[in-house]
Amino acid sequence: MLEKKEILDVEKVIRDFEVITKDAENVQRETLKMILEENGCAEYLQNLGLNGRTDPESFKACVPLVTHKDLEPCIQRVADGVFSPILTGKPITTISISSGTTQGKPKFVPFNDELMETTLQIFRTSFAFRNKEFPIENGRALQFIYSSKQIKTKGGLFAGTATSNVFRNSQFRKAMKAMQSECCSPDEVIFGPDFHQSLYCHLLCGLIFHEEIRLVSSTFAYSIVLAFRTFEQVWEELCDDIREGVLTSRITFPSVRSAMAKLLKPNPELADLIEKKCSGLSNWYGLIPELFPNVKYIYGIMTGCMEPYLKKLRHYAADVTLISADYGSSEGWIGANINPSLPPESATYAVLPNIGYFEFIPLKENVEEHMQDNGNVSFLSMEPKPVDLTEVRVGEEYEVIITNFGGLYRYKLGDVVKVMGFHNSTPELKFVCRRNVMLAINIDKSTEQDLQLAVEEAAKLIAKEKLEVIDFSSNVDVSTDPGHYVIFWEISGEVSDEVLTECCNCLDRSFVDGGYVSSRKVDAIGPLELRVVRRGTFQKILDHYLGLGAALSQFKTPRCVGPANNKILQILCDNVTKNYFSTAF
Ligand code: AMP
């Protein structure tokens, strides 16, 4: 008789999801009640005078909206090993280190079993919907996942990136098996101490199991693009390894070598096949399906700051479907992608109403309220009251506030989302951008999304020459008077000064924020500057973050480098090869 495998009951997962989303309002109340009952004895809540009340009204009246900075002292005490309940009823045993690539500095956030459970619930939910449309039978996943170094805090708690905490968890492995999405690489590769070596070995494992690979994935799409860019450089070495059955000497860690030795056998036929396939490709178009003929889809977070990598990913993927993975953060999960057939640009995330209590700050009318004051118009900046999950309105933008089982109460996540519709009574959100990634000099406020769109527009000019912007970042330079926007580009080849000047003008024209355009017209903001950096500059930025303990799995190129991020600015400025000033205005 065949061995019975534990396979996820996707119909049940979908039924459960339907039940909670049909009654989202009550489920939210119940979830908040559970969170507050479980953690009511925590010092943080005790000090706010909730006195055992668990209803949303009392909660909102007593508990303030906070940012990470407000909670830092409490989290630090948890990390320092203070044993009494500080943020949660049960002691926190693990700390997640957020990638810090959006704000420059890694942050500590609590991690516990409840957060692990919500992670799995999100994964199961999106898998259930995905598998209905794109079923994967027995096979393997080529997952470009990496663990960060696990450190011990002063108080003896384990601290690693949230993704590493998840990958290490035995429940995660069981769940991946049940979702037929087991990683084809051994643990020694995932947890290897050097990401360059792990990346090489992931590629090698993928090739060894090439016929069994059903999906190619990573947490963020950036890692998939990086993996195949690397493949372009090392494919011949990979073929040599497969031909001889001996791992290249560039892999030096004994644990990784011995794990790979168990998989690697001399296979000249496979080496010939890969060589033939690679030689037959034009500019690596369609590389992924060529290498992995049975791949069903490519999976990873592809929205927000990952959108700029989609073009390259599509190039490697040819007609293989790209599916954006779910929406969450080190602080906790928010929504699952239950419409996998939508292209990543239109992906939405349905909020799971039982994984946390969610509030949303409306962003439309919050900016300014005009006040007439002795003939002068002044502006009173007021943030409107947050609304509940089921009160959000289609078409409106909001900042997300999380309260969850991990010790965060009314925590401003800093992400902007737009409500695109509802699934039953829970909203489906589109990720818009980080709220604080902003270029601002005068009355202008250009967001991460504005920057992305401007770069996309200007990059079309070099696409005509079959070149691409490999990565980009920005900064406001106020050392000039007036200050101006600086955009840094790493480009895949040589571009003429003429074209780059045109790109620079196009960038300047493409920032559509009213404040920017009017300031440029009256010269209150100076001409935009495009600085081209050397090939490999963004790799140096990645290496810098990895050196600080970030994991590649969660890496996001900083799109706007503020003064607090001096080191990154220095790497960028040290590598500038040419610069151009706009004449667009
Ligand atoms: P981290 O700090 O590494 O935990 O990253 C969390 C942040 O990544 C979130 O706050 C978002 O800004 C971003 N993020 C996570 N999931 C998505 C998604 N599906 N689409 C766009 N951005 C995302």
Side-chain angles (χ1 to χ4, degrees):
M1 220 169 83
L2 283 173
E3 188 199 343
K4 196 161 175 283
K5 265 197 175 172
E6 196 187 321
I7 303 269
L8 184 71
D9 182 350
V10 293
E11 295 301 336
K12 178 170 183 323
V13 174
I14 293 178
R15 272 198 312 274
D16 290 348
F17 178 76
E18 292 299 322
V19 170
I20 57 168
T21 53
K22 277 188 179 139
D23 195 16
E25 192 182 341
N26 276 324
V27 173
Q28 279 282 274
R29 273 189 170 262
E30 278 308 304
T31 306
L32 179 65
K33 187 163 173 260
M34 275 165 68
I35 294 173
L36 296 179
E37 277 173 359
E38 244 177 59
N39 302 298
C41 63
E43 185 186 303
Y44 183 78
L45 291 176
Q46 291 272 321
N47 289 344
L48 294 169
L50 265 171
N51 296 329
R53 285 170 297 169
T54 60
D55 60 287
E57 296 72 26
S58 309
F59 175 66
K60 289 180 207 167
C62 297
V63 180
L65 296 177
V66 291
T67 61
H68 188 269
K69 205 154 173 256
D70 301 313
L71 291 186
E72 227 163 6
C74 288
I75 299 177
Q76 194 57 53
R77 283 171 62 218
V78 172
D80 288 348
V82 176
F83 191 70
S84 60
I86 297 175
L87 285 165
T88 49
K90 273 189 274 170
I92 294 286
T93 52
T94 313
I95 294 284
S96 289
I97 309 174
S98 90
S99 58
T101 44
T102 49
Q103 269 148 40
K105 152 167 161 267
K107 302 176 288 195
F108 274 7
V109 283
F111 184 82
N112 61 10
D113 290 347
E114 282 83 354
L115 286 187
M116 186 63 218
E117 193 36 56
T118 58
T119 305
L120 295 179
Q121 194 191 336
I122 284 267
F123 287 2
R124 288 191 192 108
T125 305
S126 55
F127 175 79
F129 283 90
R130 204 161 63 242
N131 212 48
K132 272 181 92 94
E133 287 187 52
F134 304 94
I136 42 170
E137 322 75 45
N138 275 332
R140 291 175 199 257
L142 170 54
Q143 294 183 316
F144 295 102
I145 56 178
Y146 310 86
S147 164
S148 66
K149 275 192 218 99
Q150 217 179 20
I151 56 165
K152 264 201 168 178
T153 67
K154 194 172 140 203
L157 276 69
F158 283 111
T161 54
T163 41
S164 310
N165 292 336
V166 169
F167 301 152
R168 275 178 209 282
N169 193 289
S170 58
Q171 296 298 321
F172 170 75
R173 286 130 192 283
K174 258 177 82 177
M176 284 294 132
K177 266 193 195 158
M179 291 184 233
Q180 297 142 293
S181 313
E182 228 182 322
C183 182
C184 69
S185 307
D187 281 358
E188 290 81 353
V189 170
I190 300 169
F191 298 105
D194 176 273
F195 111 83
H196 296 282
Q197 298 196 15
S198 292
L199 166 48
Y200 184 93
C201 293
H202 277 316
L203 287 169
L204 192 53
C205 292
L207 295 178
I208 294 169
F209 295 110
H210 73 292
E211 283 188 335
E212 292 170 56
I213 300 297
R214 299 287 184 274
L215 71 138
V216 174
S217 75
S218 72
T219 311
F220 286 95
Y222 169 85
S223 312
I224 308 179
V225 171
L226 181 70
F228 289 101
R229 279 194 197 280
T230 307
F231 181 89
E232 290 184 27
Q233 313 296 322
V234 300
W235 68 281
E236 281 162 312
E237 205 174 341
L238 288 163
C239 286
D240 289 346
D241 291 3
I242 292 172
R243 186 179 312 284
E244 306 298 331
V246 179
L247 190 62
T248 168
S249 59
R250 75 151 82 195
I251 308 300
T252 52
F253 290 96
S255 58
V256 181
R257 287 197 72 85
S258 64
M260 289 303 296
K262 288 185 195 141
L263 300 177
L264 198 55
K265 304 280 170 300
N267 191 342
E269 296 79 28
L270 178 58
D272 287 344
L273 181 73
I274 297 165
E275 263 171 16
K276 194 162 150 241
K277 284 177 181 247
C278 290
S279 315
L281 290 173
S282 159
N283 195 22
W284 302 101
Y285 178 81
L287 173 62
I288 294 177
E290 198 61 33
L291 294 178
F292 312 110
N294 299 312
V295 70
K296 294 280 196 285
Y297 55 85
I298 297 167
Y299 187 64
I301 293 173
M302 296 175 188
T303 43
C305 63
M306 293 297 132
E307 272 187 41
Y309 307 109
L310 281 176
K311 196 160 175 258
K312 190 70 182 176
L313 195 52
R314 286 214 166 89
H315 182 83
Y316 288 133
D319 53 4
V320 180
T321 306
L322 305 185
I323 306 178
S324 183
D326 307 315
Y327 171 34
S329 67
S330 305
E331 288 89 340
W333 285 94
I334 296 143
N337 180 359
I338 59 163
N339 300 304
S341 51
L342 288 180
E345 288 86 348
S346 323
T348 58
Y349 305 101
V351 181
L352 270 65
N354 67 342
I355 61 173
Y357 182 74
F358 298 99
E359 295 169 80
F360 298 86
I361 302 176
L363 294 180
K364 200 174 95 188
E365 73 273 31
N366 80 334
V367 194
E368 282 121 11
E369 212 173 71
H370 299 252
M371 280 198 331
Q372 203 75 31
D373 156 27
N374 291 337
N376 296 322
V377 178
S378 62
F379 296 99
L380 176 69
S381 189
M382 286 216 314
E383 205 156 62
K385 274 196 2 213
V387 298
D388 285 337
L389 179 74
T390 51
E391 287 171 358
V392 295
R393 285 200 250 147
V394 174
E396 307 274 302
E397 291 189 1
Y398 299 88
E399 177 178 354
V400 181
I401 301 170
I402 300 187
T403 295
N404 67 15
F405 291 91
L408 302 181
Y409 308 97
R410 309 197 81 203
Y411 177 95
K412 291 171 80 173
L413 190 61
D415 286 347
V416 178
V417 294
K418 183 171 181 176
V419 179
M420 303 306 286
F422 281 85
H423 181 88
N424 296 321
S425 57
T426 204
E428 292 187 309
L429 310 175
K430 180 176 167 58
F431 182 90
V432 178
C433 60
R434 296 282 308 168
R435 198 175 173 186
N436 56 2
V437 178
M438 209 175 255
L439 292 160
I441 291 176
N442 187 20
I443 52 164
D444 55 314
K445 283 194 183 77
S446 296
T447 64
E448 178 184 10
Q449 201 187 26
D450 293 329
L451 169 67
Q452 255 165 238
L453 291 173
V455 170
E456 200 179 299
E457 204 44 47
K460 286 181 188 157
L461 299 169
I462 62 165
K464 288 183 194 151
E465 311 196 5
K466 300 230 171 328
L467 292 171
E468 57 183 319
V469 176
I470 294 178
D471 225 329
F472 63 94
S473 189
S474 69
N475 155 253
V476 291
D477 184 349
V478 283
S479 66
T480 56
D481 189 21
H484 66 284
Y485 289 8
V486 179
I487 312 295
F488 296 92
W489 269 14
E490 181 174 325
I491 308 175
S492 59
E494 282 301 310
V495 187
S496 69
D497 288 340
E498 214 181 327
V499 173
L500 285 168
T501 306
E502 201 31 57
C503 290
C504 182
N505 289 340
C506 178
L507 281 167
D508 206 5
R509 277 194 304 267
S510 303
F511 279 96
V512 289
D513 171 70
Y516 183 74
V517 178
S518 56
S519 302
R520 281 288 293 120
K521 283 186 180 156
V522 297
D523 217 20
I525 296 182
L528 180 142
E529 183 183 356
L530 170 62
R531 295 188 192 163
V532 179
V533 296
R534 252 177 225 107
R535 283 297 294 274
T537 303
F538 282 86
Q539 176 72 44
K540 284 187 189 155
I541 292 176
L542 170 65
D543 288 339
H544 168 75
Y545 279 111
L546 297 178
L548 293 179
L552 182 64
S553 294
Q554 272 170 260
F555 180 75
K556 303 164 205 79
T557 298
R559 293 292 183 220
C560 178
V561 183
N565 223 342
N566 219 342
K567 180 71 199 156
I568 301 303
L569 192 56
Q570 199 184 330
I571 298 176
L572 287 167
C573 292
D574 287 351
N575 285 283
V576 172
T577 54
K578 301 179 198 170
N579 68 329
Y580 304 86
F581 283 94
S582 158
T583 51
F585 287 86

